[in-house]
Amino acid sequence: MDNLAPPKPGARPASSFVYDKAFVNGEWVAASSGKTFEVVNPANGKVIGSVPDMDATDTERAIKVAYKAFQSWKETTAKERSTLLRKWANLVNENIEELSKLLTSEMGKPLAEAKGEITYGGGFLELFAEECKRVEGDIIQTPVKSRRLLVLKQPIGVSGMITPWNFPNAMITRKAGAAIAAGCTVVLKPAEDTPYSALALCDLAKEAGIPAGVLNVVTSSRNNAGQVGKTICESPLVTKMSFTGSTAVGKLLLQQCASTVKKVSLELGGNAPFIVFESADVDAAVQGVMGAKFRCSGQTCVCANRIFVHESIYDEFVQKMAVVVEKDLKLGDGIDPGTTQGPLINKKAVEKIEAHVQDAVSKGAKVVCGGKSKGGNFFEPTILTEVTNEMRCSREEIFGPIAGIIRFKTEEEVVGLANATSSGLAGYFYSRDFSQIWRVAERLESGLVGVNEGVISTPDAPFGGWKESGLGSEGGRYGIEEYLEIKYVCMGGLQ
């Protein structure tokens, strides 16, 4: 690994977390084929290392291992699981600096954002260490004196998971932390771009004492990803599937899971509106949109995708936002001090953003700042004005640093436009009209709503989308419910 400063005293160096093996049954293992694939730093194109390119055969083995481990893990007490999860969380927090450097090297986000993600990820482990002790059943009032009606909650079983590259630490802890807390075992495929953060978590889970077979990570290249995912979805030994990624892939996985009627959690694409009403504090709204739009270089599913600004403050908002973009955003390698905008994940992502800008300009949009690629995987933070609903950047998930700003006149108009999408993950708006705040918060068709806030994710709150943005919720006290089954027990013959 390059450009990494020495670790602080007592912490492990980031390079010690770079494994060239996958993690199955508590051991570091190669692919049965012996094949590997390279992992590249998106900021400089340098190879970080290589990991096993596993296939269906390797995945089936991991599933069998997880199924065997489940038979004993499900019998552990909540207190036992809580203690191990707490140890795991503590180890993550102790190594936050080095885990952050590792994450930045394989994903590209600025080091400060990487530290934020590791803290966020550790927060899920802490949360579920507590929530597993709060899983409770119920006693239902009986209509028959000789019966007692009980409700039990029990772990669902082996849980398959596929996680994305944009949050390679936190999306794993949010899923696997909940599953393990519930008493389930895990078979997880991390994104091919960012396997090292997943393997680092395995290392720390093992150190924390989480038993062999409870957490298993199968690495694969893009070429083998399809068969690995299909194997997880169609295996009768896997009873739960959780996926975060594109809507198209989510739909395919849902179809594959239908053959065994799995319980499925999906967190899919977004097309988040960000609305600035005429009563808004414009300066606060500008700061809010900076976090909602340009965090992770615009590569999050909850990023502001369509920015609606009331016509009475449109010009003021654009002017102030342009000043902040030019002043506060610095493009560069995420490991370098002062960088706020790292690279996009790969060249294909850059080409997509270039196409969005070209499409918008050809249809009448104006480039206020940015608008160009800067070599390699870098693209300038970009503001587009006079954006309309006919442009691709209004209709498609951008997943990059383009802020397209749209005028609107009335609340009714803008809420209608905000909801005119098949996505329903996140929505944001700024207003100081108390009645309007209640109206719009209730009318937005999305699972997450930020009111006068641009960054709203926290381990303590549920995270899930409406419409084609997903199924189920992760995080908070609701997250563990996704990995539990409800069992009704009728006790009869009582005197």
Side-chain angles (χ1 to χ4, degrees):
M1 296 176 65
D2 51 350
N3 297 327
L4 297 186
K8 63 183 180 181
R12 291 171 51 178
S15 58
S16 74
F17 289 114
V18 179
Y19 286 92
D20 62 356
K21 299 291 191 296
F23 189 77
V24 177
N25 203 25
E27 300 176 345
W28 300 102
V29 299
S32 57
S33 66
K35 294 180 179 179
T36 63
F37 66 97
E38 293 180 337
V39 182
V40 175
N41 185 326
N44 54 31
K46 294 182 179 179
V47 175
I48 302 170
S50 61
V51 295
D53 191 3
M54 294 180 139
D55 56 21
T57 299
D58 299 298
T59 307
E60 287 172 356
R61 174 176 177 265
I63 290 170
K64 290 176 181 178
V65 163
Y67 183 76
K68 182 179 179 180
F70 176 64
Q71 308 313 311
S72 56
W73 182 245
K74 67 181 179 181
E75 301 296 335
T76 57
T77 67
K79 183 174 177 58
E80 290 172 324
R81 298 193 296 272
S82 176
T83 298
L84 294 175
L85 283 165
R86 176 65 69 177
K87 289 180 180 178
W88 191 11
N90 289 341
L91 287 169
V92 169
N93 290 331
E94 288 171 12
N95 290 278
I96 186 171
E97 295 285 340
E98 309 315 314
L99 292 174
S100 301
K101 293 173 185 175
L102 176 66
L103 193 157
T104 291
S105 72
E106 63 177 346
M107 187 270 155
K109 69 175 58 175
L111 192 57
E113 287 190 23
K115 290 179 181 178
E117 180 182 339
I118 302 300
T119 300
Y120 182 45
F124 284 112
L125 298 179
E126 293 175 1
L127 174 82
F128 291 121
E130 297 302 318
E131 287 301 326
C132 67
K133 295 186 289 185
R134 301 189 184 110
V135 174
E136 298 173 345
D138 203 357
I139 298 177
I140 301 172
Q141 290 296 324
T142 175
V144 181
K145 289 184 179 181
S146 62
R147 296 178 180 176
R148 295 296 182 270
L149 313 181
L150 313 178
V151 175
L152 308 180
K153 292 184 179 180
Q154 296 180 302
I156 194 169
V158 178
S159 300
M161 301 174 181
I162 299 177
T163 55
W165 51 263
N166 56 344
F167 286 91
N169 176 284
M171 294 303 95
I172 292 175
T173 59
R174 190 166 77 184
K175 296 176 188 293
I180 292 170
C184 299
T185 55
V186 172
V187 176
L188 185 147
K189 190 199 89 65
E192 57 272 10
D193 299 292
T194 56
Y196 289 124
S197 289
L199 297 173
L201 284 170
C202 292
D203 179 324
L204 297 178
K206 183 175 183 177
E207 185 178 345
I210 291 177
V214 172
L215 175 63
N216 306 278
V217 167
V218 175
T219 57
S220 78
S221 68
R222 189 170 279 104
N223 290 336
N224 281 345
Q227 62 174 297
V228 170
K230 190 170 188 281
T231 301
I232 293 173
C233 289
E234 295 184 352
S235 171
L237 299 183
V238 177
T239 46
K240 163 74 182 185
M241 177 64 187
S242 179
F243 169 74
T244 295
S246 73
T247 300
V249 173
K251 289 179 179 180
L252 175 62
L253 296 176
L254 186 59
Q255 290 175 340
Q256 294 173 348
C257 285
S259 64
T260 51
V261 197
K262 283 180 177 49
K263 188 175 183 180
V264 178
S265 297
L266 300 173
E267 192 251 289
L268 308 178
N271 189 2
F274 188 105
I275 306 169
V276 186
F277 287 104
E278 62 268 39
S279 68
D281 179 329
V282 175
D283 293 323
V286 167
Q287 290 302 317
V289 82
M290 295 299 291
K293 174 69 261 182
F294 293 112
R295 182 168 58 106
C296 199
S297 297
Q299 300 175 112
T300 86
C301 51
V302 295
C303 274
N305 210 65
R306 299 166 293 155
I307 302 170
F308 298 98
V309 180
H310 191 269
E311 60 182 6
S312 66
I313 56 172
Y314 187 92
D315 292 338
E316 177 189 1
F317 181 89
V318 170
Q319 181 183 18
K320 289 185 173 181
M321 183 177 177
V323 169
V324 175
V325 167
E326 296 283 5
K327 175 177 174 290
D328 292 351
L329 300 188
K330 178 184 176 183
L331 201 63
D333 190 326
I335 209 71
D336 295 337
T339 293
T340 65
Q341 300 288 286
L344 300 186
I345 190 64
N346 52 41
K347 188 62 178 176
K348 185 177 180 181
V350 175
E351 292 170 353
K352 176 185 175 182
I353 297 306
E354 288 177 326
H356 274 211
V357 172
Q358 291 168 5
D359 171 78
V361 171
S362 71
K363 295 174 181 175
K366 302 290 189 285
V367 178
V368 175
C369 60
K372 298 178 182 177
S373 61
K374 300 297 288 183
N377 295 327
F378 292 93
F379 197 92
E380 295 176 321
T382 300
I383 297 177
L384 299 176
T385 58
E386 310 308 328
V387 171
T388 66
N389 295 320
E390 288 70 40
M391 298 173 186
R392 286 183 60 189
C393 61
S394 295
R395 294 183 287 104
E396 302 175 10
E397 185 175 30
I398 297 172
F399 237 67
I402 300 174
I405 308 180
I406 305 169
R407 296 177 190 268
F408 76 90
K409 294 182 179 181
T410 68
E411 177 186 316
E412 182 177 4
E413 171 199 8
V414 75
V415 171
L417 290 171
N419 291 336
T421 172
S422 60
S423 300
L425 187 55
Y428 310 87
F429 69 92
Y430 275 69
S431 171
R432 287 183 287 191
D433 180 332
F434 195 68
S435 295
Q436 183 178 64
I437 286 173
W438 273 107
R439 287 194 306 270
V440 176
E442 292 176 348
R443 290 179 63 195
L444 284 179
E445 296 171 355
S446 60
L448 317 172
V449 177
V451 182
N452 296 325
E453 291 288 346
V455 180
I456 61 176
S457 298
T458 173
D460 306 278
F463 192 108
W466 289 17
K467 300 192 278 190
E468 292 188 16
S469 285
L471 298 170
S473 288
E474 297 182 336
R477 63 186 178 89
Y478 303 93
I480 198 169
E481 297 287 339
E482 298 288 338
Y483 298 92
L484 296 168
E485 290 277 37
I486 292 177
K487 178 183 287 181
Y488 158 54
V489 179
C490 178
M491 299 180 65
L494 304 179
Q495 302 299 319

